[in-house]
Amino acid sequence: MKKLLITALAAALTLTACGGGSDSASSTLRVGTLSDAPPNIFLKDGNYTGFDNELLKDIAAKQNLKLEFAATDFSALLGQVASGRYDIASSAIAQTDERKKTVDFSAAYDFETMSIQAKQGTPVTDEKGLAGKRVAVIQATVGDHWLGTTVPDAHAVRFPDYAAALTALKTGAVDAYILDKSIAEKNVTDNPDAKLVVVKSFVTDVPHGFAVKKGNTELLGKIDDGLKKAIADGTWLKLHQQFLPNAPVPAGFSGGGS
């Protein structure tokens, strides 16, 4: 009997040791992102890349964190972080008061710059021209909120992703499209036959941040510390110049504490 007890104890200790492997696996953080919103977040050659995702990868490397990316719809992303499906949301997410009720955000790593996009020959020259028009927005984004509050007479047509909204603009299903400036400019470059134009752009004071489940202060602290290091060593600026060369660099983000 004593021998059996010893054997059972040894087996239990072995299982406990093996449990470390499970802990290691669970340390891989699941990142919810998008596959179709360049230059900030997109899928290329099977790799989730773009300014936001490459910045997060650098932060993770600095903090010895492992990441696993997966694509989802923006409208569902924050709810999926809140429910625990994803540990981090990386998607040029504007930090609004409403969203802060659902998730916690990292320190700001950029700021929201929006554009009104249309096709050449459009009568729309600014936000006033959107009244009575069918305007594409990505559901639950700052663009969606901006249109509803700034041009309440516009007919908002909400889409779950950027590709669907762009297709609607190109085919004439909508008259205009409200979206991030960087994505709007890339739409013009990548779709020359569509004859797209950026009608007007405007910078906001709304910061972008990585989102985590509310109360996850440990992970948030690691992200913020890694971000601070990425700014200080010039990685942030290098990635910004690579992916967002025409976007303004906010004060304090140029590296070296300047």
Side-chain angles (χ1 to χ4, degrees), residues 30-42:
R30 296 159 297 179
V31 181
T33 187
L34 306 186
S35 63
D36 62 349
N40 289 82
I41 47 265
F42 61 101

Side-chain angles (χ1 to χ4, degrees), residues 116 127-128 130 142-154 202:
I116 302 171
E127 57 270 28
K128 295 179 182 178
L130 297 175
V142 168
D144 188 354
H145 177 74
W146 177 87
L147 183 66
T149 56
T150 307
V151 195
D153 294 335
F202 44 97

